[in-house]
Amino acid sequence: MGKIGKPAPMPNICKLEMLALQLADSAFPSGSFAHSGGIEAARQWGEIRSEESLKHFLETAIRQAPFGTLPFLVAAYRKTDSFADLDQLCHAVLSNHVARQSSSTQGRSLLATAARVFNLPDINELQQDTKDQDLPAHLAPVFGALTFHLGIPLDKSLQVFLYTLLRDLVSAAVRLNIIGPHAGQRLLVELAPELELAARQSVELELADIAQTAPLVEILQVNHDRLYSRLFQS
């Protein structure tokens, strides 16, 4: 019998795809499932009463992203400004204290997990800098910087970020018994074109394009602290 040769090394593009899938995996401990993105408040305030109204809420949240947090992801990825400046600007733009705390909590958790899992000098340095400068480490700029250091292409970074955004919102809706698991998966399929459009838009937008296109969602989210009982942190 002939000798079995060693398997060929994994192509770089395949490795990058695996890294992207790992970040998108719900098992990656970034703390995102502790947050509902305003869905819990919207449910209790009577704005989400059916699957149809939930879908409208999700569409609104996705369409806001290119004009809200995603410009910070793109700027951090492209290094148009220092990470500290981008992070502080993100902190100022997120005037909603619930969204601000949620973004910082998730960003810190994601960065800490990435430092432990990937153990790359650039990521470790970024984590140390956020500690030394007492930065909020918001989710979008952290995700942009992290995927840059991992070598994941910008378009893939945006796709993963948007997918996890929608996935977490749908998961929250399922756990709040607004819809069932199968309906949740159906919504992921139906809203895929919205994710693709948002990703394409985000590549062209800059920090100067940031605007609030979904004020009702923000108003609902900021009232999360006033709910009588809460399952989520935001």
Side-chain angles (χ1 to χ4, degrees):
M1 293 180 62
K3 293 183 179 180
I4 299 176
K6 294 182 179 179
M10 182 183 294
N12 191 49
I13 186 65
C14 185
K15 181 179 179 181
L16 295 180
E17 287 288 341
M18 290 298 294
L19 288 173
L21 289 172
Q22 187 173 1
L23 290 177
D25 191 346
S26 60
F28 197 82
S30 62
S32 60
F33 285 109
H35 304 270
S36 75
I39 284 184
E40 185 170 26
R43 173 69 162 176
Q44 291 201 33
W45 288 99
E47 292 296 328
I48 295 180
R49 300 176 182 272
S50 63
E51 183 176 336
E52 182 180 355
S53 58
L54 171 64
K55 184 177 181 180
H56 178 68
F57 184 98
L58 297 175
E59 288 173 337
T60 303
I62 295 170
R63 292 170 184 175
Q64 163 63 27
F67 298 94
T69 56
L70 289 182
F72 292 104
L73 185 159
V74 174
Y77 188 98
R78 291 175 171 165
K79 296 189 174 183
T80 58
D81 297 274
S82 71
F83 179 84
D85 288 344
L86 290 172
D87 199 31
Q88 294 287 13
L89 179 59
C90 187
H91 192 74
V93 168
L94 290 171
S95 57
N96 171 352
H97 73 281
V98 175
R100 178 189 291 168
Q101 182 61 40
S102 170
S103 174
S104 178
T105 300
Q106 293 180 71
R108 288 173 179 267
S109 179
L110 174 63
L111 186 54
T113 299
R116 289 186 177 185
V117 171
F118 303 116
N119 194 28
L120 294 176
D122 287 334
I123 296 176
N124 295 338
E125 182 180 351
L126 178 61
Q127 184 191 28
Q128 190 59 49
D129 286 345
T130 60
K131 292 180 178 179
D132 293 343
Q133 300 177 52
D134 194 26
L135 296 174
H138 283 290
L139 179 59
V142 164
F143 198 90
L146 173 61
T147 49
F148 171 81
H149 292 312
L150 290 174
I152 297 173
L154 178 57
D155 60 341
K156 180 64 68 174
S157 173
L158 288 165
Q159 290 171 359
V160 172
F161 186 90
L162 284 163
Y163 169 75
T164 56
L165 167 67
L166 179 58
R167 178 205 65 192
D168 295 344
L169 292 174
V170 169
S171 174
V174 171
R175 284 181 285 167
L176 288 166
N177 293 318
I178 300 173
I179 54 173
H182 293 97
Q185 292 301 308
R186 186 170 61 249
L187 281 175
L188 289 176
V189 174
E190 293 175 356
L191 292 173
E194 291 285 347
L195 295 183
E196 186 61 31
L197 177 59
R200 289 202 306 269
Q201 284 181 314
S202 301
V203 175
E204 305 298 330
L205 296 175
E206 301 178 353
L207 295 175
D209 297 310
I210 291 175
Q212 176 53 263
T213 64
L216 182 57
V217 171
E218 183 170 22
I219 291 171
L220 290 167
Q221 187 177 39
V222 79
N223 280 282
H224 187 270
D225 290 349
R226 299 176 58 190
L227 300 180
Y228 177 75
S229 61
R230 300 187 294 270
L231 179 63
F232 295 91
Q233 295 179 25
S234 72

